[in-house]
Amino acid sequence: MQNYRDLKVWQSAMQLAKSVYRITAPFPSHETYGLTNQLRRAAVSIPSNLAEGHARSTTRDYLRFVGIAQGSLAEAETQIELAHRLGYVPADDLRTMFEQTNELGRMLHGLRSALTAKLAPTSLTPES
């Protein structure tokens, strides 16, 4: 059984969380308990849910946690966009962040598809 730390999707999610911490560091102090906190929590939630799901005993549980990670990714993307619109995130950083979130989104979709396929019953062809 593979360790969750070996999963490229988890590594990508950790990189995104690190990037979020980097871009939120210069946010105004009045955002410390607002947008800064919300964005960091959403970003940290992604690899955390992947790790927790991987540790669960059933594929169905794992799939549920991947879904939660996808929701947290959408939340983080929305908050990154808002931070840009408020002037906290420069356009270059926005592009870089969205490249990361798009790639991570593809990876999460792939993981979700693989887990869903694992749950699908095998089709038996009738003998003629």
Side-chain angles (χ1 to χ4, degrees):
M1 180 179 201
Q2 192 177 31
N3 186 297
Y4 67 87
R5 288 184 201 92
D6 297 328
L7 299 172
K8 290 196 184 311
V9 66
W10 181 84
Q11 293 169 7
S12 180
M14 288 293 287
Q15 184 58 47
L16 176 66
K18 182 179 174 181
S19 294
V20 163
Y21 269 78
R22 181 188 58 76
I23 68 158
T24 58
F27 280 17
S29 60
H30 68 269
E31 288 291 358
T32 299
Y33 300 107
L35 190 55
T36 302
N37 185 48
Q38 282 295 113
L39 181 48
R40 287 177 174 185
R41 288 171 57 95
V44 168
S45 176
I46 301 164
S48 298
N49 276 291
L50 291 171
E52 186 170 355
H54 189 272
R56 295 296 173 135
S57 59
T58 69
T59 301
R60 191 169 308 283
D61 281 345
Y62 192 5
L63 191 55
R64 184 170 61 87
F65 281 93
V66 171
I68 294 168
Q70 287 178 306
S72 293
L73 177 61
E75 183 180 353
E77 287 174 326
T78 299
Q79 293 163 356
I80 292 166
E81 174 70 26
L82 176 60
H84 171 70
R85 291 181 184 197
L86 292 171
Y88 304 156
V89 175
D92 287 345
D93 284 345
L94 179 70
R95 266 190 301 282
T96 300
M97 295 301 294
F98 280 167
E99 287 170 7
Q100 283 185 279
T101 60
N102 288 337
E103 176 63 20
L104 180 54
R106 284 190 292 275
M107 294 171 86
L108 287 169
H109 178 76
L111 177 57
R112 187 178 189 117
S113 295
L115 292 172
T116 300
K118 192 174 173 181
L119 285 177
T122 56
S123 59
L124 300 173
T125 55
E127 294 181 12
S128 304

